[in-house]
Structure formats: structure tokens, C-alpha cells
């Protein structure tokens, strides 16, 4: 059983509230737009981190993190990218691979809109944790927390960090 904290779009912001939830997780996954690498460096001191770079991230972030991160967590295939779209409206850059080799869990960020939905066509769960940072149009800072247990994704929680 692995407890995951999923966040995105920190835009250089990290605070004690985010770190409180980091401490409760087994792993932290960041879906891009990290901003200052101090964010990921701080998380990595506390917990294992998987991340991708986003469209605002600089050359240093792009050297450290990939555009797409595909991996297994227990018996769940996971794909994290920053600009991925959502079921029925996937980004053209992921659409072909999604059709040929869909993961069980597809994660993206970018929109600053928290969204969790099942994609019946590709038989996968889509997650976007919204934005944990203070930059952008979103009103509420959000993250997701869930458990992967063997091949099951369960105990999903929305974390509202607060207004920005």
C-alpha cells in the first residue's frame, strides 16, 4: 500500500501546509509548473518525489525532470505529464500513445482546475490536482491524496489548502 500526495502548479510556492501533507505521504508526485527548484528540493528532503516539468519551468527543471514520466506504482501503470488534457479532449501530443498504450492512471496539471474522471474509452482514471501555488486564476489551492494498493486506486481525498 502506497500513500500518494499529488500536486501541481506550485509556481515556486511551498509552505508549511503543503509540507504537512508531504510528511503524511509515502511518495509525492508533482505534475509540473514547479517554478523554483527549491520546491522540489524541499519535498525530496522529506519524501520520494516523482515529477515532470511544466511550461513555465526553466532549463534547470527540464534537465532534472522529464516531460513525461511513465512508471509502475505497485501494480498500477502511471503516466504523468503537465499538459495532457482530459478524456475526450486529450492534448494531441499524448493522444496517439494514449490510444495505443493507455496507463491505468493518467495525471496532468496545467489547467489549475481540479478534475478527477474515469475515461471509459481508454479504461483509465484521469486526475488533475488543480494548483497548489498562488499564481493563476484559481481561487482555491488544491491537491489530491490517494492510496495505491496492489492494482487498486482508492481512498481519494481532495485537499483544499485555502484561498490564495
Amino acid at each position: 500500500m502506497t500513500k500518494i500526495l499529488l500536486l501541481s502548479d506550485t509556481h515556486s510556492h511551498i509552505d508549511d501546509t503543503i509540507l504537512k501533507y508531504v510528511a503524511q505521504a509515502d511518495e509525492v508526485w508533482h505534475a509540473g509548473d514547479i517554478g523554483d527548484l527549491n520546491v522540489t528540493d524541499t519535498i525530496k528532503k522529506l519524501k520520494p518525489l516523482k515529477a515532470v516539468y511544466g511550461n513555465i519551468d526553466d532549463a534547470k527543471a527540464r534537465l532534472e525532470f522529464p516531460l513525461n514520466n511513465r512508471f509502475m506504482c505497485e501494480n498500477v501503470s502511471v503516466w504523468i505529464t503537465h499538459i495532457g488534457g482530459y478524456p475526450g479532449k486529450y492534448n494531441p501530443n499524448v493522444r496517439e500513445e494514449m490510444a495505443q498504450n493507455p496507463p491505468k492512471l493518467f495525471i496532468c496539471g496545467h489547467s489549475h482546475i481540479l478534475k478527477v474522471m474515469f475515461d471509459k474509452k481508454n479504461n483509465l482514471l484521469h486526475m488533475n490536482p488543480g494548483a497548489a501555488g498562488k499564481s493563476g486564476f484559481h481561487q482555491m489551492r488544491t491537491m489530491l491524496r490517494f492510496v495505491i494498493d496492489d492494482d487498486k486506486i482508492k481512498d481519494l481525498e481532495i485537499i483544499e489548502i485555502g484561498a490564495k
Side-chain angles (χ1 to χ4, degrees):
M1 185 172 83
T2 308
K3 292 182 268 183
I4 308 297
L5 177 67
L6 174 61
L7 69 162
S8 186
D9 296 276
T10 48
H11 293 262
S12 302
H13 179 78
I14 190 143
D15 59 30
D16 289 342
T17 304
I18 293 171
L19 293 174
K20 175 182 89 172
Y21 288 101
V22 167
Q24 296 170 9
D26 295 324
E27 293 184 8
V28 178
W29 299 351
H30 195 303
D33 277 4
I34 298 159
D36 190 319
L37 288 181
N38 177 55
V39 170
T40 48
D41 291 345
T42 302
I43 292 169
K44 285 192 291 188
K45 287 176 186 167
L46 300 171
K47 297 292 174 161
L49 172 71
K50 290 183 171 67
V52 296
Y53 70 79
N55 56 295
I56 67 134
D57 291 316
D58 64 12
K60 283 184 181 178
R62 291 167 190 245
L63 282 172
E64 186 167 345
F65 300 108
L67 173 63
N68 294 290
N69 195 346
R70 290 200 74 158
F71 57 92
M72 294 294 293
C73 180
E74 299 202 20
N75 286 309
V76 173
S77 60
V78 180
W79 179 358
I80 304 175
T81 194
H82 184 60
I83 303 176
Y86 55 91
K89 300 268 186 188
Y90 288 117
N91 183 297
N93 296 328
V94 303
R95 201 175 295 142
E96 186 175 329
E97 186 174 347
M98 182 71 73
Q100 293 178 7
N101 185 21
K104 183 166 184 167
L105 176 58
F106 181 72
I107 294 168
C108 62
H110 185 62
S111 70
H112 293 219
I113 300 168
L114 187 147
K115 189 179 287 195
V116 178
M117 54 195 301
F118 189 74
D119 177 347
K120 291 179 188 170
K121 180 180 175 189
N122 292 300
N123 192 33
L124 62 87
L125 184 61
H126 168 277
M127 289 185 187
N128 183 325
K134 293 188 172 185
S135 298
F137 68 88
H138 59 283
Q139 298 300 306
M140 180 63 66
R141 297 168 49 225
T142 57
M143 302 183 293
L144 291 171
R145 180 164 60 176
F146 57 96
V147 170
I148 293 181
D149 189 1
D150 189 35
D151 64 346
K152 293 177 181 57
I153 303 162
K154 62 184 192 178
D155 300 336
L156 177 67
E157 295 176 72
I158 294 169
I159 299 168
E160 292 185 335
I161 305 169
K164 54 180 198 160

